[in-house]
Amino acid sequence: MGDVAVGARSGHDGEDRGRPVGAAGPAPDGAMTSGSDSGPAGDGTAGRAGADGGGPGDSAPAAKKPRSFWKELPILIGIALVLALLIKTFLVQAFSIPSDSMQNTLQQGDRVLVDKLTPWFGSEPERGEVVVFHDPDNWLAGEPTPDPNALQTFLSWIGLMPSAEEKDLIKRVVGVGGDTVECKGTGPLKINGKALNEASYVYPGNTPCTDDDAGGQFKVKVPEGYIWVMGDHRQNSRDSRYNQGDANKGMVPVDEVVGRAVVIAWPVTRWSTLPVPDTFDQNLSARTAAVAPEGLALAGVLPIALWRRRRSRQGAE
């Protein structure tokens, strides 16, 4: 008689054994599991596999029990705190408006978000921007210091509330390094001899300049590395004008600028961005104002010089 073929064991048994017991949900992409297939049928090895201990009677290894949510919660909170600290330090920070000096652009109690990222790439404040800066030289002397509770201290530490220990101010940048800023009478405010139209942001009823002898009338040249700032509520803002007696002559060092306020985040009824007013789009450069007359003079003299040179050549011939 001919040889009798040994029956092959189905590979489905191996697939059932390879799947972890009690696994919940689909496996992650790239980590799919599959069972161990049996050897080829007809070679006499399938039947011996069961005898060697690889048969269906073997129990699969126990699946690892998922970590409890309450055990993972402290880890998640820790990660969230680290991310909040990184965001506060390098990206964006919330600040509360404590006074009326920036009305009506900002109201007392508003929360603004300040961009802290762009200064890390060398960006400096520009005219028309609303910026937050550290007190440059005791501008807040005599102002009451808030006494936060434990919760407020914690929220300020992770960046969800402003710190009571940091003495910061918020004003609008009017002049940058190299600018000449002046205000006479009741206005208008001028930068390098060019008048600003400030009706869109100066507090209604206020004049651009304050007619007093305490600093409301001024003409200053802003040094490089400094800015000149003013509040939008001109008659209710102790800004660069009224701090000209300090070490910086009323200027704010660029190094003391925290960042630009870009949006009012709270309350939701006040949500809006803080763009640069259109009046600052005009060419206010001090260099242009100084060089333009020289350029016009050169343009007028050049044709005459060429004409005289041509006449000299003709006479020589």
Side-chain angles (χ1 to χ4, degrees):
M1 296 177 61
D3 294 339
V4 179
V6 179
R9 185 184 302 272
S10 171
H12 294 293
D13 294 341
E15 292 178 355
D16 293 338
R17 290 194 305 274
R19 184 175 295 110
V21 177
D29 292 344
M32 296 180 65
T33 58
S34 61
S36 300
D37 294 332
S38 300
D43 64 358
T45 60
R48 289 193 298 271
D52 293 337
D58 293 349
S59 60
K64 184 180 292 186
K65 186 177 180 180
R67 188 189 297 270
S68 168
F69 170 76
W70 297 109
K71 291 182 179 179
E72 291 185 348
L73 184 59
I75 300 175
L76 296 176
I77 293 176
I79 293 174
L81 290 177
V82 170
L83 290 176
L85 287 172
L86 290 174
I87 291 172
K88 169 188 173 182
T89 303
F90 299 106
L91 299 180
V92 66
Q93 186 175 2
F95 285 85
S96 176
I97 306 304
S99 69
D100 298 329
S101 67
M102 282 296 293
Q103 286 181 321
N104 274 336
T105 303
L106 299 172
Q107 301 289 347
Q108 188 173 165
D110 284 352
R111 300 292 196 276
V112 297
L113 298 182
V114 174
D115 169 25
K116 302 177 69 174
L117 176 63
T118 51
W120 286 90
F121 295 93
S123 174
E124 294 189 356
E126 297 183 1
R127 303 181 194 95
E129 294 180 346
V130 177
V131 298
V132 171
F133 55 94
H134 300 311
D135 188 341
D137 188 26
N138 231 14
W139 286 21
L140 294 175
E143 294 290 332
T145 302
D147 185 17
N149 56 38
L151 177 60
Q152 291 173 330
T153 301
F154 174 74
L155 293 176
S156 66
W157 182 69
I158 63 175
L160 297 180
M161 284 188 66
S163 173
E165 298 178 357
E166 295 179 1
K167 295 184 176 181
D168 300 317
L169 301 96
I170 185 166
K171 306 290 180 186
R172 189 179 299 276
V173 179
V174 174
V176 296
D179 286 346
T180 297
V181 186
E182 60 181 311
C183 220
K184 302 297 181 183
T186 57
L189 179 67
K190 294 182 179 180
I191 301 177
N192 301 319
K194 297 181 179 180
L196 298 180
N197 181 0
E198 302 186 284
S200 64
Y201 58 90
V202 167
Y203 186 77
N206 278 195
T207 56
C209 308
T210 304
D211 192 3
D212 60 37
D213 56 1
Q217 307 287 295
F218 61 89
K219 183 176 182 179
V220 296
K221 177 72 175 290
V222 184
E224 294 295 335
Y226 291 82
I227 56 176
W228 179 270
V229 298
M230 298 175 67
D232 289 353
H233 196 163
R234 293 290 160 81
Q235 274 73 61
N236 189 23
S237 176
R238 186 171 179 82
D239 45 41
S240 289
R241 299 170 293 169
Y242 300 104
N243 288 283
Q244 295 184 61
D246 70 4
N248 303 307
K249 298 182 179 180
M251 315 293 176
V252 177
V254 171
D255 293 342
E256 296 293 339
V257 175
V258 177
R260 176 187 173 185
V262 293
V263 65
I264 303 173
W266 186 264
V268 292
T269 54
R270 293 265 305 148
W271 191 94
S272 64
T273 58
L274 295 169
V276 173
D278 292 340
T279 188
F280 291 94
D281 291 338
Q282 61 179 308
N283 191 347
L284 299 171
S285 174
R287 180 176 300 177
T288 300
V291 173
E294 298 175 4
L296 291 174
L298 180 61
V301 170
L302 185 60
I304 298 174
L306 292 175
W307 177 78
R308 289 175 60 88
R309 185 176 182 182
R310 183 177 297 178
R311 288 291 301 271
S312 298
R313 285 181 178 180
Q314 291 176 352
E317 292 175 355

